Amino acid sequence: MAIKEHLSTPVLWFLLLSIQVSLGADELRLSNGTGPCSGRVEVKHEEQWGTVCDGDWTIKDAEVVCKQLRCGYAVKALNRAPFGEGTGPTWLYRVDCRGDESALWNCTHTGWGSFTCPHYFDIGVICSGFSDLRLTGGDTACSGHLEVKQEESWVTVCFSHIDFKTASVVCNELECGHAVDTLRGTHFGDRHELIWQEEFHCVGNEIHLADCPRNIHHTNTCSHDATVVCSGYGGYRLANGSTACSGRVELLHGGTWGTLCDYLWDLPAANIICQQLDCGVALQIPSEQSFGEGNGTVWNGTFSCKKNGSRLRDCPVRALSHDECPAGKEARVVCSGCPGGRLVNGTTCSGIVEIRHGDTWGRLCRSHWNLQAASVLCHQLNCGYAKSIQMEDGFVDGNGPIWRDAFHCEGTESCLWDCAQVTLGNPTCSVKEAATVTCSGLAESLRLSGGESRCDGRVEIFLHGVWSRVLDDDWDIKDAHVVCRQLQCGTAEKAYYLPKSERGMGLVGLRSVQCTGNETQLMLCNTSHHQTVPTGVSEDVGVICLGSRQMKLVNGTNRCAGRVELYHHGIWGTICDDNWDLSDANVVCKQLGCGHAIEAFVSAHYGAGSGQIWLDDVNCTGAESDLWACPSRAWGQHNCQHKEDAGVLCSDFLALRLVNGNDCAGRVEVFYNGTWGSVCSNRMSQLTAATVCKHLGCGEGGRIATDFKYGRGSGPTWLDHIECTEQHSSLWQCQSDPWNPQSCDNRAEETHITCTGRREATSPAALAECPNSTSCSDQEKLRVMGGEDECSGRVEIWHQGSWGTICDDTWDMADANVVCRQLGCGSAVSALSEAAFGEGAGPIWLEKVHCKGTELSLWDCPTKPLFGKNCDHKEDAAVNCSGVTETTASPTRADRPRRPATGSTRLSVPVILSIILGTLLCLVLAILAGQIRRARAQQRGSGLSYDPFSEAVYEEIDYSLMRKKQGVTFLSVNSRTVPETSPPPENALEDGYDDATEAHRPGDASLSGQNEQDIIGIPGESDRNKDSQTGEARRAVQFYWTPRNRTSEAETPSSPAPEDTGYDDIEELRH
């Protein structure tokens, strides 16, 4: 007992340590591998070697083994006896390491020898054997002798131990591009240096050299070391640009990013980098001031790229170094940002059209190809505009798939993929029916930008590799004629100066253009270049050509149904429904590529438009190619109101629904050719079912139901073999067999789908109202949600039967201004992104919106439907509007009520002052009115004679307002002219129009020349008993009532003044 009391803790630890030393320290090794750093893990404990059993063996556990053996880092953690079965006891089981332990047995485990494990569960490890590698002794960091670091020493790799594939892995790991060569290096002779003992047998796609298979080489002799030469750079990027596809070119060289200094940088080389970055083609090499300076590191190099499609790293390159770069030699580029389109088998700007789906290129079918879509592709490829889409002899047929996509472009889109895209049901194509185009090329060097088409807008010229402005202080119709002729846009309709808000800020290419009007190109006119300072004030100039005339259908649920609107003379306007029939509608549908007409609508079926009414009494035969080629009244001459706007439903109008279930479950039906019909389920995948659900706003997933509980259809079976991919956000983008009313062999093939999501419930009463009604305005198909009032929040639009959001890509103040104006909420205070007012639900209808800021409706802005999974609701766009609304009366309906604005941001000081001044003005007017009434009472009491004829005049006016709609007849009595009209329909004064207007006296030139006191409103009953002197004191005023539908031709001005566009008109085409 006495001895035990004197054994302290340190003494006990010393005794235990002595016992362990006497038994032998624990050891670790790797057996049966290619060298000391790979093999079966074996542990020596109690003087006996044993194995480690697999029990969730991970790379962290292997890392401790490699570190303990000084074999670099762990490459692989293997189980199930990869290096053969061992012998002896199983010392460790269920080892669980953190990764920072100094020895394997310091990790958590079940205890020494606690579990007997069959040896086919022995674990193994492959370590790198080295912790680093380098190329040394070469001209750059990317060439030289190959060495690897073993423990703390650098070891030479023998030339006979590597091949070209191994060199490729080395260059890739060092971020030095690709391998150029392997060379026999220095002869060792009798030198005694450390030599790596393993041979590398790389496949070539390994990320690290340590990942390559290796064999032990037992000789210590080596005749030559291995020298590896890499291309010199491992990557490239564009830095400091306004988009991901513009900026200063930077190279990754030896692990460091630096600016590329290229004395011979040109468009072919820039084109290659744009293509490799999936940024389309190079548009220009901007000036040296663009994109700022880099981080100070400069890589000098010269690339000579000649072959389209080659990789930049395959272009010949001079040795790179760290020298300073002279001013203006840094490589810069602006790419189009529009990938996925190219021309083959021709020239740079002509040939067969190919588009890319995923990673597959294929030719485009020409069945729906037109000049507008072709011009967008030419613009996308920096090739001007489309001159022809006819096949030329130089174009040779190729191989590969034929894509049947139809692109419906307005002509102002930046990319082909921004156009409306429909593939579903399109006809098949043979190899000889590929789309082709011949573009104008940059030799034309002229364009019109910012307009509604390629034939109207601001004039810009391409000089010295840059698009520049054209300024003039004497711009006229002769100059405009030359621009329109050069662009093949017909004759000039208008020459104008741009408003201050739309004037450019970029480089000036030309000033003071003076043309005779007969020149074929603007550069042939008498011009001054930008260095010349002109006399007077020069301004940006614009042109509207005859070729800008175009048509669209608005307020329908897609592009093939809606109110017909025409763009003429720079203004959008409608068509009157007089004599409107299927022949007229057929021309509209054919011109828009929407098939044939199903119905010709009258009486503003798709809602009343606003502004100009361009055509009336249209009388087409149906064979015309353009609506304006049909007989009609002259442009702007009509006897209509917007309640008579014409509309069209075309055969290619598409709609989708699920029937006999609920909104998100049922039998699939598609509306085509004016009829609902089923679709067949042959070869249909669950991905296609999910696309249907996504299209309907019913969640991201769906399944094909096989119990047929949603009944059989009775109409046509329109489609079969529908195949969608993950890129498709709409069913219309999917491939299928052509339209056929008998696509299914029997009704058992009809498709039934159940979606995972649910749409918001809509009451039957709401379905009869906006936004579901076809007569709704654009304002009622737009809303903001989640904000503090109806003028701030997440932007949502109504499309295809459901509310959805807009992606914030390219969302800016111009887009926000259009939304605020359309909502009647004044101007935009801010354009917000990243779901600033919370994430929405349902579909994301639009990905990129490109408004100029002057559009009246968001629907008028160029947009891109969401394609694939580029956006989610975390990127919902939002706005915050000022809430100060200009007073503009709606022609069809009153503005929706709004809650009072809350917060100081809504009631500014000017608004408060306006309210106070308005109140004071009302008080003053009230006092004056009282004084006038007292004066009249005194006059009546003075016994003056009563004028019965004055009473008769007002009786006649009051009576005339109750008659039916007829022509207006004027009665002349004592030099007063009083209109005698028939009473209007019962609702004539309740339709939202101001049907009472005022006419001037025969002697007056116009109403605009009268003073305010000359205009008197229609009196009420209380004004009947007035004395004669009061009646004679008034100026004679004539009244007439404007009929509900139209007046006679004699009463209508022959050519109403066009709507004010905000342009400063200079001169218009005279006939």
Side-chain angles (χ1 to χ4, degrees), residues 458 469 497-505 539-540 1064:
R458 180 176 59 250
R469 302 156 61 199
Y497 294 125
L498 267 74
K500 291 183 179 179
S501 61
E502 297 180 29
R503 291 173 189 169
M505 298 295 292
E539 302 179 64
D540 290 89
D1064 182 11

Side-chain angles (χ1 to χ4, degrees), residues 52-58 61 79 92-96 121 123:
V52 178
C53 184
D54 176 20
D56 297 326
W57 183 249
T58 67
D61 308 326
N79 52 25
L92 297 175
Y93 176 61
R94 289 195 177 278
V95 177
D96 185 13
F121 286 112
I123 54 94

Side-chain angles (χ1 to χ4, degrees), residues 10 100 164 178 261 308 311 487 511 630 663 706 1005 1007:
D100 57 355
F164 191 81
H178 68 288
C261 182
N308 285 337
R311 295 184 65 83
L487 293 175
R511 293 182 187 267
C630 300
D663 284 344
T706 57
L1007 274 175

